[in-house]
């Protein structure tokens, strides 16, 4: 009864199919962080980790009645298979949404996807062979890095500053990669209210970035889930509006309406769009008609722009709660003040390591995402991402207070025992499910 | 103003991103068939092509009220992001569905997907490197071939007879591939009411097929969308029920309930399941909570088994209409009589080619799928797949009558000009969107 259990080495002994996996699958491993996030999802924990939107503010009674009518009156369409490219009436309404950022397009240019995550996956499927280079901001959206890693891409980060991606750094990187004979397929960028960086690419830099990419023959993948969620001003023109042939644009209803329907979209140059549709049909046949009709009906009959304005007010209030709490409780750290979106990117005081601190934070009933999730090589442990989108302002303040106790205790340890952090090697985690 | 337009050669001149595509994307091309199917979807055409279920029989009033209550009462969950593996209460109910085919599993073994098509894509992502071999029935489901092709797999067909996949042929094929040093990753099989073949793998053959695969270290991918739609008897035990560690099982609600929610699932050995979840999170983050809750509530509160019995009666009546019409109007052809599912696999009279005949059929206002769609090499043009799932019995009879006029006219041509068919080279089409 006390026989020794064999130690599983990468599943070689316990997994009979270990020898059958594709190359790419060997790096698909659940990180320890996932177990941690299972704990972090308990109600007593204040999660500043997830990018879950605050959907409590939606008019649920009216939305319920809307979905009832869709099934009763158009059920034979809503419950049936649909077009691989997506419902045409939804694609038309998506044009209205994009017009707010200056995009002019035709419904034929739009491909509806299962969240914009699927669009990321399709673009990567269509463009990336193993070893191809994707240039991306440092840091970058963890879910995009997950897709790029799953496709065995070589991700090269380019730094940002308070005005977004730095054109000179991009140009130097592309020149260096070209000189090294590397094949750069696209630039992945989140220009508005960056995840996790919180910054926005200025209007002045946008054409410059597009010119640099054009001159190196590099496609731009503009991922824009947060563009309409600015607090202080109208949205900037999308990069797609400045270069229809040089940009694939990704949009989403997950942050401006609701992620539960899983509806996003891509807008791409004609020939690319055709391949995206074929890739999507191979992957899922067609997106959900029921979901698409819910979104299309919402856009048709509800004041969706008014709802976005409400979200802006709510998120602004939450950002304010977070920023003032940080100033009050963790003044040793530094951070940017985002003017839209969901995230504050916090630099920890010298000597602290966000990744090794996380278990202690969760024990103190507060969760965040360590900065290492947003770098392909697992660097960035001196940062953490704090989300203010989901908890109420009171909960945010309480979360930051709890975090402050952990930071103080870590700083005390560093003062006594010195800095154990610096040399810590970055390890790569496959993204946990709820850190969007 | 009359300058010659350059002839686009694979888009080399017109597509600025032609040089950037991944290897796999170069074969993603829309076939001429797609344009044809756009015509075929007009209401005046009787489509015997699509695998769209007959969902007019669903209780739409009650389903509408159900979805209203989900949004009103549980909207904050239904409209939010969910778990990458899928909603746990749905995964529990899926066990009840699978129990009808003798499968015993744990909710942890189930991965919910965006239709079982996504499960196909995930399994292929996890197991297939370019050039790996997948063994599949001849013919095979067109949507699976599309996924396998997109992943650059080498598909090797094994023949079926009236009792399903032929064990001796499978063994010979695996032996031959092994001798040739080929790496066979899995057997893809639709054991029940095969698409397009219409046949069912007999109970006697199931353990034999599993043994052969086990002895060659080949995983079995059991795709079972139609298993509960038999006309004459209870479902056979699933292959998964006989070999939990040797089989990945795929299920779907698209044929037994409604495809519009895009909900399917995979059941896999533990270590494989973990990789499928990671691959799914990279692809779509999480399946739609709204869709999953609709299915789970339907399974909880509706007589879903009674609804399946109604479908069985309706589809049986449609099969009977098709079989009797074929006997009356196209006696020169031959076909099987399926005892479940959606499809009749028709062998055309000598000399006829289903692919070249299709435009004339659509002109005569009837559509089908040419057999070539179901072979990786585009062979099989002497067959066509006729679906009886969607049109009413009267429309089915009208469709077969129209088809008979086309067949008669083709036969007349063959009689006068001889047989132009035999030497026709098979060409490969990427699957059209509505031929499931």
């Amino acid at each position: 009864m006390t026989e020794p259990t064999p130690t599983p080495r990468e599943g070689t002994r316990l997994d009979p199919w270990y020898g059958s996996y594709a190359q790419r699958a060997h790096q698909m491993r659940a990180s320890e962080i996932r177990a941690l996030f299972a704990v972090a999802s308990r109600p007593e924990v204040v999660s500043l980790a997830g990018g879950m939107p605050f959907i409590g503010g939606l008019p649920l009674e009216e939305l319920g009645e809307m979905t009832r009518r869709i099934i009763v009156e158009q059920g034979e369409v809503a419950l049936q298979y649909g077009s691989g490219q997506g419902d045409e009436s939804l694609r038309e309404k998506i044009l209205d949404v994009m017009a707010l950022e200056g995009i002019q397009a035709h419904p034929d240019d739009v491909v509806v996807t299962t969240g914009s995550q699927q669009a990321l996956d399709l673009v990567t499927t269509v463009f990336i062979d193993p070893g191809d280079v994707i240039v991306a901001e440092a840091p970058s959206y963890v879910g995009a890095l997950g897709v790029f890693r799953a496709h065995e891409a070589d991700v090269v980060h380019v730094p940002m500053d308070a005005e977004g991606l730095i054109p000179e750094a991009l140009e130097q990187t592309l020149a260096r990669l070209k000189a090294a004979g590397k094949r750069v397929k696209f630039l992945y960028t989140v220009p508005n209210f960056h995840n996790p960086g919180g910054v926005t690419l200025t209007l002045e830099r946008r054409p410059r970035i597009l010119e640099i990419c054009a001159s190196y023959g590099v496609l731009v993948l503009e991922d824009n889930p947060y563009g309409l969620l600015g607090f202080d001003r109208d949205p900037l023109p999308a990069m797609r509006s400045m270069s229809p042939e040089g940009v694939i644009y990704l949009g989403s209803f997950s942050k401006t309406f609701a992620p539960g329907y899983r509806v996003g979209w891509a807008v791409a140059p004609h020939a690319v769009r055709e391949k995206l549709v074929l890739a999507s049909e191979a992957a899922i046949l067609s997106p959900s008609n029921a979901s698409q009709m819910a979104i299309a009906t919402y856009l048709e009959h509800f004041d969706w722009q008014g709802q976005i304005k409400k979200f802006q007010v709510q998120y602004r209030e939450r950002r304010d709660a977070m920023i003032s709490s940080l100033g009050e409780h963790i003044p040793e750290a530094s951070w940017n003040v985002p003017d839209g979106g969901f995230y504050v990117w916090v630099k920890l005081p010298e000597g602290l390591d966000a990744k090794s601190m996380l278990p202690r934070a969760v024990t103190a009933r507060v969760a965040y995402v360590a900065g290492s999730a947003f770098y392909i090589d697992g660097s960035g442990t001196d940062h953490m991402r704090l989300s203010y989108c989901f908890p109420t302002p009171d909960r945010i303040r309480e979360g930051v207070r709890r975090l402050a106790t952990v930071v103080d205790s870590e700083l005390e340890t560093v003062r006594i025992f010195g800095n154990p952090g610096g040399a810590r090697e970055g390890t790569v985690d496959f993204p946990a499910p709820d850190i969007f």
Side-chain angles (χ1 to χ4, degrees), chain A:
Chain A
M1 295 297 285
T2 56
E3 282 183 84
T5 316
T7 311
R9 259 206 345 231
E10 294 283 297
T12 36
R13 301 191 197 176
L14 296 182
D15 178 3
W17 301 108
Y18 182 79
S20 288
Y21 294 127
Q23 184 62 32
R24 69 179 74 84
H26 286 286
Q27 60 187 335
M28 293 180 183
R29 286 192 300 274
S31 69
E32 336 81 89
I33 286 196
R34 300 172 75 88
L36 210 58
F37 275 102
V39 177
S41 68
R42 291 185 190 158
E44 68 269 23
V45 175
V46 176
S47 179
L48 307 175
M52 298 192 303
F54 169 63
I55 55 176
L58 290 172
L60 295 182
E61 283 284 348
E62 292 79 1
L63 289 172
E65 176 58 19
M66 173 193 88
T67 56
R68 189 189 71 77
R69 291 186 58 174
I70 289 171
I71 300 296
V72 171
E73 295 171 10
Q74 305 175 74
E76 293 193 32
V77 178
L79 300 182
Q80 191 54 273
Y81 289 107
S83 131
Q85 185 170 357
D87 178 62
E88 187 162 357
S89 73
L90 174 60
R91 285 188 275 123
E92 280 168 12
K93 294 197 191 329
I94 283 172
L95 300 186
D96 298 341
V97 177
M98 295 193 297
L100 298 178
E101 300 188 317
I103 293 177
Q104 294 189 317
H106 188 275
D108 278 356
D109 301 327
V110 179
V111 183
V112 180
T113 54
T114 301
S116 65
Q117 185 75 21
Q118 196 210 352
L120 271 174
D121 189 46
L122 297 177
V123 170
T124 312
T125 295
V126 165
F127 282 98
I128 298 298
D129 287 313
D132 282 348
V133 176
I134 298 169
V135 170
E137 286 132 350
S140 271
Y141 165 51
V142 56
L145 295 182
V147 174
F148 301 159
R149 195 178 288 130
H151 283 80
E152 302 167 89
D154 181 8
V155 176
V156 175
H157 288 291
V158 174
M160 294 187 289
D161 60 20
E163 300 184 349
L165 187 67
I166 303 169
E168 295 71 27
L170 173 65
E171 179 139 39
Q172 283 162 19
T173 300
L174 293 180
R176 178 171 60 77
L177 290 165
K178 188 179 180 182
K182 295 287 182 76
R183 185 90 186 81
V184 180
K185 290 295 183 72
F186 57 79
L187 164 70
Y188 172 73
T189 178
V190 178
N192 298 311
F193 317 120
H194 188 272
N195 177 3
V199 301
T200 292
L201 184 67
T202 58
L203 183 58
E204 294 68 32
R205 281 191 182 175
R206 294 182 183 221
R208 181 78 191 109
I209 297 287
L210 289 166
E211 277 160 28
I212 293 167
C213 285
S215 73
Y216 282 87
V218 170
L219 184 66
V220 175
L221 179 55
E222 178 181 27
D223 188 7
N224 187 34
Y226 309 101
L228 300 182
L229 294 173
F231 304 149
D232 306 310
R233 51 165 171 69
D234 287 339
L236 292 179
M239 297 169 84
R240 167 59 169 73
S241 74
M242 304 169 179
S243 173
E245 288 300 311
V247 175
I248 298 177
Y249 174 95
L250 307 188
S252 173
F253 292 105
S254 292
K255 316 297 186 182
T256 54
F257 176 41
Y261 289 118
R262 311 303 301 117
V263 176
W265 72 91
V267 175
H270 180 82
V272 176
R273 185 267 293 160
E274 196 164 69
K275 290 194 188 291
L276 293 178
V277 172
L278 291 166
S280 186
E281 288 171 4
I284 61 161
L285 290 180
S286 62
S288 162
N289 266 6
S291 285
Q292 291 180 90
M293 289 167 78
I295 304 270
T297 309
Y298 172 73
L299 294 174
E300 173 84 29
H301 294 294
F302 285 67
D303 178 16
W304 60 272
Q305 298 199 53
Q307 180 63 51
I308 288 175
K309 289 204 172 69
K310 280 187 203 165
F311 280 138
Q312 291 165 353
V313 172
Q314 286 159 338
Y315 290 134
R316 183 187 181 135
E317 187 189 355
R318 288 164 187 222
R319 175 207 58 181
D320 290 345
M322 179 169 279
I323 296 295
S324 67
S325 298
L326 282 169
E328 188 176 344
H329 299 294
I330 320 185
E332 313 88 342
S334 58
W335 53 85
N336 65 318
V337 180
D339 59 348
F342 285 7
Y343 310 109
V344 178
W345 183 235
V346 178
K347 186 168 192 318
L348 286 170
E350 182 68 26
L352 298 203
D353 179 302
K355 195 169 171 183
S356 61
M357 189 173 78
L358 186 55
R360 289 185 279 281
V362 172
T363 305
R365 291 170 299 131
V366 61
Y368 58 82
V369 183
S372 50
F374 306 97
Y375 289 84
I376 198 77
D377 61 356
S379 62
T381 56
D382 58 341
H383 276 78
M384 59 184 175
R385 187 191 76 178
L386 299 184
S387 310
Y388 50 79
C389 42
F390 192 72
T392 61
D394 277 349
R395 292 278 286 172
I396 289 171
R397 281 185 279 265
E398 174 59 25
V400 174
R401 266 194 297 272
R402 293 177 188 175
L403 196 53
T405 65
V406 179
V407 167
D408 287 346
S409 153
E410 294 279 299
L411 280 175
E412 184 66 17
T413 308
V414 170
R415 265 192 294 273
I416 297 172
F417 296 103
N419 175 358
R424 211 184 140 75
E425 198 178 331
T427 55
V428 176
D429 299 302
F430 215 82
D434 61 348
I435 49 175
F436 322 109

